[in-house]
Amino acid sequence: MLTFLARRLAAIAASALVLTFVVFALTNLDPNLEKLAKGQGSARMSDAEVESWLAGNGYDRPMLTRYGEWLGVLPGWTAEGEDGTVVRGRCIDNAADREIRPRFCGVMQGDWGWSTRFRAPVGEILADRLAATGKLMFWVMVVMVPSALLLGVLAGMREGSRTDRTLSTVAIASTSTPEYVMGVLLIALLASSQAGLSPMLKEWGLLDAPVLFQGNARSAVGDANFWNFTLPVMTVALYGMGYIARMTRASMTEVMTQQYIRTARLKGVPFRDVVMKHALRNALIAPFTVIMLQFPWLLNGVVITEVLFSYPGFGWTLVEAAGNNDIELLLASSVVAVVLVLATQLISDIGYVWLNPRIRLA
Amino acid sequence: MVDPRDPTATEPDAFDPRWGASQEPSLGPSAEPGPALGAGIGPDRADEAEAARSSAAETPPARDDRAAPAGAGNGDDPVLEIENLSISFFTRLREIPAVMDFSVKVMPGEAVGLVGESGCGKSTVALGVMQDLGVNGRIVGGSVRFKGRDMGSMSQSELRQIRGSQIAMIYQEPMASLNPAMRVGDQLAEVPMIHEGMARKEALAMARQVVADVRLPDPDRILRAYPHQLSGGQQQRIVIAMALMSKPALLILDEPTTALDVTVEAGIVDLVKDLGRKYGTSMLFISHNLGLILETCDRICVMYSGEAVETGSVDDVFDRMRHPYTQALFRSIPLPGANKNSRPLVPIRGNFPLPHERPQGCNFGPRCDHFVDGVCNVTDIPMEPVPGDDRHNTRCIRFDEIDWDAPPAHQAATEETPIGNVVLRLEDVKKYYHVSPGMFSGGDGQVVKANEALSFDARSGETLAIVGESGCGKSTLAKVLMGLETATSGNIMLYDQSIQNTPIEKRGTDTVSSVQMVFQNPFDTLNPSMSVGRQIVRALEIFGTARTDAERHQRMLELLDLVKLPRAFAERMPRQLSGGQKQRVGIARAFAGGAKVVVADEPVSALDVSVQAAVTQLLMDIQREHGTTLLFISHDLSVVRYLADRVLVMYLGHVVEIGSTEQVFAPPYHPYTEALLSAVPIADTAVEKRKIVLEGDIPSAMNPPPGCPFQTRCPWKDRVPGNRCETQMPPMRRMAGGHEIKCHLSDEEFASMRPVFSRAPEAAE
Amino acid sequence: MMEDQALGWFATIGRMAMQVWPVWLGMAVIFGLSIRFKRRLGLYGKLFDSTVGMIGYAIVLFWVLVAVFASLIITHDPLAQVAIMKNAAPGSPTGLEDGYPYYLLGGDALARDVFSRMVMGAREVLKIAPAAALVAYAVGICLGLPAGYLGGWWDDVLSFIANLVLAFPVILLFFLLVTPEIQQTGIPNGMAAILFAIPLVLMALMIHSRFVTQPARRNLWLAILAIVGIWAYAGLVFDADPLGVWRMPPNLLNVFIAVVFVNAPTVFRIVRGITMDIKNRDYVAAAQTRGESGAYIMLWEIMPNARGPLIVDFCLRIGYTTILLGTLGFFGLGVSPESPDWGSTINQGRRLLTAYPHAALAPALALMMLVLGLNLLADGLREESLKD
Ligand code: SF4
Ligand code: SF4
């Protein structure tokens, strides 16, 4: 088990390194830097001015060197003023006290850089936003996973039955509805003062506020409640739910045709116990991996939903960073996303082994 | 189990492996069972025969030692009574009758065998008894009574109470029938916990006892294990233990040993028989193997295409069958008397009818030699009792008109194939695999010695059989010969060319086309998305046999002729062919380039017995015509004895014995060969077998034992002084006439070996 | 000003149904013929035995035909603005003398006809999604077959790369890959050069291994492939097709490449898995013992037998690609501002969503329907292909 873990961790570290480099390279492409220069300086800079701005801010050195600095394995760049003292540098601009001059100030030192969009240290911004997204994700999981498993197990338990057909159709319909469609539908149905349920309810005097649910979740950051948080949570959860439910159903129907299920049935085990004791654990092995690998996908959903509901979380930040060419913030967000995905892969591997006694690890 | 030199065992006549056993029954018409029929009841045949003889008079049909079961109801009422049962499966297009008008009775303590080819409905009967036919299956007529109660009218909860406690079932695939994610102990304990409301602790204690009962070592470890941690034989013992946890009155065994190796199978069969006797359980034993039925059952029911065609006691049916299908079945399996030249097998002509294409009248009509138009194809044929026999019925309208002792009509003896020069010679060939560990962990990995020092040669026109069980390295040998792998060391000479280091990509077209292979699994041997003709033509293209498209097409049609398939099959897709037909196409493809050496890897083992005979025959015919060298890889010694000229026995990568067929099938044996011979069930009541049951399972090739590879299971080991078996690799010993055996036993010990088979001692009557 | 009355719901729907008459006609013909000859049409024919599959197929066919006949169906120019129709409710009359008298699904924030934009949007989506899925398939197959069949370091390296791509959240990849700045660097063209070359290599290998014993025939086929292939390749990758048949505007190429790039690793994994399963079959061993080349075994022995699951997944993948295209549109990535594709229409509509939901709702429902159809179709195909 330990060697397995070590191997997986090594693979993950290698992936993280490669991926962060790719992100770094892509965000630091010349046109992106030019855009950054113009964004920071003025939009009408000449090419020469752009060059000198980039040089003055340390962007003119080789990509690998800058990647090393960003990582924190190479000393941060410095620029000397006319008097020979260090006036500018990667590690200086961001340090609160100019007297303390760390040589290294990269990600490994916990310094994520400076956000040009929000004018604040990237680390701080991300911490806040991640907390907000964490809350959203938590509720999504709470809603999505149990309902998806239940749906899948109920449908897969008796293949071809009416329950199966109905539940499968529900699952297919929900996987066919991406977040940006689901969000639109939910808002139109439940959060519009013009259409859907709200005007009707209002007419009947059942509703005081103009709308039933809120279509804007900005307020949910500080104080999430049923009325402002339901729609974003449902938007993310419903799309993923269909997918997991379908996986669970497929896995469940396969398990239910296995010989050992027949053995159990012919041993006289009541149907409920056949499902609970014999089928479930085997049937959940496959969906477990799926749920875990859902994370990159969930992240998409979160980005879309946060934008749609103006919920300032991680995804919203990512979009802002990308839209405003905030390189350091985009880079940091990417790293967080990639690490999150890789970590879930690791968890899914471990969980798979734990659930499946057939796999033995040296 | 039994000491091979047990002085109390009967000492029958020396048995000549090519001895022509007569098909005629050697017993008189009386119901008294001959001693040979005591076969396989107990561990000791002499006592067995004694017991049988002394008590036969009182209880004619049922085996005396099973007739007084404990707690299986009162003696006369049947445990299970199936009457005119009909089962159909319903698809969107049509109703498919799977079982029709099927009746059988199982008395307390009795073992009834249900035999037939695949698709005959025998497993459906078992599921029908359990009332577990799935969503599409339904009982459309007749009744199943268990201890007098109609199972069809029971509620789900009543059924549940009976399943697992009163009726238990054992399946073909032991691995598949155990829950992979549940410990063995829990799976066993579940049974009494459900049915007797036992506490978990007591249930586990009981499970421990039953596990010991099925002769598994270290029960505590086994109870804690997950199924995948056990070997196939151990898993099947667990499945049996699970069935016995509640001491059922009826045990249904559905091909319980088909997935296991022969020597392991022998152990399981032995166990089942003993337990049956100990617990007094009635059994319904489903199998395609007549030999197994003979060893385990009292009564037999032969099924064909959804119907029972003949039922009766094992003796009646085996020795005085009264249905043409039963007779044809017996004539198509290689019994000890058959011989490829003088007494060839008689395949059943035609094909098994598809369920919705069954003929009017007798289902067997189109394939029956005694078919009479206007008699057999008019109405449904009823089951008729055979006068004079006890509960012996047959579904043949002409059974009293047929001359049952007449020899088969079309049994043409052929010349022996002349054996020519050496075509293929192997010298000291070794194949080691390096099993590397994963990408990131250290260590050197392991070496698997798949083949150790193989030497033999094969001549043109000769059939060399390579015999062994799983893990013996026979498939690796085939791969090395074909060039899919290269040998680690040693020499392989094809004519005068050494090919051991030439992988297939580097071999010339000539070499490639002269060494070809016929594969085991007919359902896998053809590419499902290419027409039959196209696949043969492709082989012709690659071998450069013909130049133009037209020539190739012509040649392809000739190849179809060669394997006796209609030319129209060229256009068919593989899924439209039956297993035997696919196997024929595979043979045609192998001979596309005029192969000189054909490696046949278990070419018939996946086919039904009647088809087996035809395909075997075809291989022999082609060999005769072309003087091909046939390397016949098999685990089935009956087939090997029938067609091989020489035999090579392998165990864990070593050749342990090599010699002519006569030499290998007669003493002196290598101890492993001896056990293997004894393990093969033989469907002939006149043949007596010495029983040698090996302990344990075949060791893994990854981790072979030190010294002699066979030492972990060898019953002769203690006769070799000084622990040599455990420490030294035995040398290859030359016996008389080119016969070689790899064993430490002394010449005296070899001389003392007695034959495994013998003719039944008729004198005892 | 004869038509100043707004239409009711019933009339609106009726008029829409009438407007798409070419679609109904096409569907009737195709369904009639298919059902008539379903026993001769293999897996496609068997689709008509499954209710689910048939419903799915009907929905997909509907949208395909809408895309095909889009120019016949639209009531207004999807870019034309009629000032008074800004955010007009569905069924509102335009009040103009000429042209279709109503905005059947209302007007959007720029006073354009939502119905016509939705119809044209179908064309946008169905122009790219299947083609992108196809190229992703070619790439996935081309890499998955050797990874599964040869194993060893082929597998290690390719799987590592595939996992790398899969570890990227899709949206992040889009934000990084689909930008005007990236288009300036020429990275999309470089990627297109590689990705579009792969199908050509695949076909060349298929031809070569199939006719290896008949050089004349092989060379003929290879020559045909070379001419057609290089023509298309030059047009798509370098925009250098002299006839102008094959071309893609840079932003479309960018979108296309990104979508292929995101899909290919998943296809790779599926193909690799199936290959590892099939390579143990005896017919593969039979081909090996005849001395067939690896390419022949992979492309002619393994690939045709993997088609069942691949066809099913292909349908799902078109659906997924549709969703991805919608996502790109939703974030305004790689699309021109006035493009009528569904994603960007939803994006534009969402700003006024609570007040005027119809502008976003129409494309949202259309997209959902198409994807649902594809998923149902895949389900039906899976069910039927398992039935043999
Ligand atoms: S009834 Fe006729 S066809 Fe059938 S087995 Fe008897 S003789 Fe043969
Ligand atoms: S060498 Fe010893 S263990 Fe091996 S077969 Fe001979 S007697 Fe048995």
Side-chain angles (χ1 to χ4, degrees), chain B residues 323-324 362 364-365 368 370-372 376 381 395-398 402:
Chain B
H323 193 281
C362 178
F364 189 57
C368 180
H370 307 284
F371 176 81
V372 172
C376 300
I381 317 280
R395 198 184 287 276
C396 173
I397 208 161
R398 300 187 60 234
I402 296 173

Side-chain angles (χ1 to χ4, degrees), chain B residues 170-392:
Chain B
I170 294 170
Y171 313 86
Q172 180 168 355
E173 287 281 344
M175 180 69 202
S177 23
L178 293 171
N179 188 336
M182 209 168 161
R183 289 181 198 277
V184 164
D186 291 331
Q187 298 193 46
L188 288 172
E190 201 178 27
V191 177
M193 283 163 72
I194 298 167
H195 292 291
E196 292 158 45
M198 207 182 259
R200 191 182 131 88
K201 215 172 148 207
E202 288 165 59
L204 276 174
M206 181 175 164
R208 193 185 178 288
Q209 203 194 330
V210 180
V211 167
D213 256 11
V214 294
R215 303 182 206 149
L216 279 170
D218 198 357
D220 289 315
R221 184 185 67 82
I222 293 215
L223 288 184
R224 277 195 313 273
Y226 283 103
H228 67 92
Q229 295 164 329
L230 308 177
S231 70
Q234 289 174 327
Q235 287 168 356
Q236 194 59 302
R237 281 167 199 262
I238 291 298
V239 175
I240 293 172
M242 196 150 77
L244 293 174
M245 282 300 284
S246 58
K247 312 229 169 6
L250 176 66
L251 192 58
I252 301 177
L253 302 103
D254 189 358
E255 305 262 12
T257 57
T258 309
L260 304 174
D261 275 318
V262 206
T263 52
V264 180
E265 169 184 85
I268 298 280
V269 167
D270 194 50
L271 174 74
V272 166
K273 283 188 301 191
D274 276 4
L275 292 174
R277 196 170 38 176
K278 180 168 164 194
Y279 292 96
T281 316
S282 305
M283 285 193 253
L284 192 59
F285 195 105
I286 298 168
S287 178
H288 66 280
N289 188 330
L290 286 164
L292 265 185
I293 299 279
L294 173 66
E295 286 192 6
T296 46
C297 297
D298 311 295
R299 299 178 54 74
I300 177 176
C301 170
V302 182
M303 288 188 76
Y304 180 79
S305 190
E307 291 176 328
V309 291
E310 187 166 4
T311 58
S313 71
V314 165
D315 324 342
D316 284 342
V317 174
F318 273 60
D319 294 335
R320 282 170 303 122
M321 66 275 290
R322 284 296 173 265
H323 193 281
Y325 174 65
T326 318
Q327 191 176 42
L329 210 52
F330 275 97
R331 286 180 172 168
S332 66
I333 55 177
L335 292 173
N339 176 291
K340 65 174 164 179
N341 295 312
S342 56
R343 293 175 67 94
L345 301 182
V346 189
I348 306 179
R349 64 191 151 88
N351 279 312
F352 204 77
L354 292 175
H356 53 275
E357 290 169 0
R358 290 187 180 122
Q360 167 93 25
C362 178
N363 278 346
F364 189 57
R367 307 175 72 188
C368 180
D369 286 338
H370 307 284
F371 176 81
V372 172
D373 192 27
V375 177
C376 300
N377 56 357
V378 183
T379 52
D380 285 352
I381 317 280
M383 219 43 182
E384 298 278 1
V386 177
D389 288 351
D390 172 70
R391 291 189 287 152
H392 184 183

Side-chain angles (χ1 to χ4, degrees), chain B residues 655-687:
Chain B
V655 175
V656 296
E657 182 168 3
I658 181 168
S660 69
T661 309
E662 287 85 353
Q663 288 164 343
V664 171
F665 281 78
Y669 305 109
H670 184 277
Y672 173 62
T673 316
E674 185 188 33
L676 206 54
L677 282 173
S678 158
V680 177
I682 292 185
D684 190 335
T685 52
V687 171

